[in-house]
Amino acid sequence: MHRYIVDLLQQEGVTGYKLVHMLTPDATAALARGDVDATTNTGVPALKLIDQGYTRLDDASSHPDLLGSSATVVSKEYLKKFPDFPKVWNAAREKALADLKQHEAEYYQFLAEIGDTTPELVKQVSPISDIKDTPFTEEGTKLLEGTKNFLVEEKLAKKDFNISDWQLQ
């Protein structure tokens, strides 16, 4: 969320702001008390704030270049110890995704139960269609590259590196 808000403010030409890093529950409480003017939020907690009457100022779907991505990483030592892990991991991912597609209602109900929400809200924020069957899509790699560039520019990463060097070929 840090990268998203910093880049969004920069793109929109907004200046004179002060960012305060807080965990979501702390930020939500600070917003309710009026201690902060706005907060970043994601998923069901964001929808709940909107339902409580807070104004949505932005939606990440309007800025696909700022979206986050995720990757599973392991150390070189782990790969030396378990060289078949990537193949096993990706096979398990594919099998799990196929199962999710066959049991969508159960999936959404499970996420709703662990997230203390409803399946309808979960469908909005965590649709199965967002889960890719390919480990590294071109779009996903671009998102990782954007995040890496942000980290380097903000000096949150010690040095620049190539994302492809981290991908198991």
Side-chain angles (χ1 to χ4, degrees):
M1 289 190 282
H2 176 76
R3 179 222 174 187
Y4 184 87
I5 193 66
V6 169
D7 280 353
L8 178 65
L9 292 169
Q10 183 179 30
Q11 284 181 8
E12 297 296 323
V14 176
T15 59
Y17 59 84
K18 179 181 178 185
L19 294 180
V20 179
H21 295 274
M22 291 185 264
L23 298 175
T24 299
D26 297 330
T28 302
L31 184 66
R33 289 190 309 267
D35 293 345
V36 297
D37 295 321
T39 183
T40 57
N41 211 323
T42 60
V44 171
L47 294 178
K48 287 182 177 181
L49 284 174
I50 294 166
D51 285 346
Q52 292 171 18
Y54 290 95
T55 302
R56 179 180 67 185
L57 298 175
D58 185 64
D59 186 316
S61 64
S62 302
H63 309 279
D65 58 316
L66 299 180
L67 293 176
S69 187
S70 63
T72 303
V73 297
V74 298
S75 67
K76 289 180 181 179
E77 293 79 21
Y78 189 88
L79 285 177
K80 285 179 188 174
K81 195 172 181 180
F82 302 102
D84 289 338
F85 177 74
K87 183 172 75 172
V88 172
W89 177 259
N90 285 318
R93 280 186 69 257
E94 289 175 18
K95 186 176 180 180
L97 181 55
D99 185 65
L100 287 180
K101 289 178 179 179
Q102 296 296 316
H103 302 96
E104 288 189 21
E106 292 95 328
Y107 170 72
Y108 292 124
Q109 182 61 42
F110 171 72
L111 289 183
E113 287 173 13
I114 63 173
D116 191 28
T117 188
T118 65
E120 293 72 31
L121 288 179
V122 171
K123 286 178 192 177
Q124 289 180 52
V125 300
S126 300
I128 292 173
S129 60
D130 281 357
I131 304 171
K132 306 301 181 206
D133 56 359
T134 304
F136 283 99
T137 63
E138 184 177 328
E139 176 187 346
T141 302
K142 283 182 185 177
L143 291 173
L144 288 172
E145 188 72 31
T147 300
K148 185 262 308 186
N149 291 340
F150 172 80
L151 294 172
V152 170
E153 289 167 12
E154 293 288 312
K155 300 190 182 1
L156 297 170
K158 291 181 181 180
K159 62 180 181 175
D160 199 359
F161 58 91
N162 290 319
I163 294 283
S164 60
D165 292 345
W166 286 36
Q167 290 175 287
L168 194 61
Q169 304 301 325

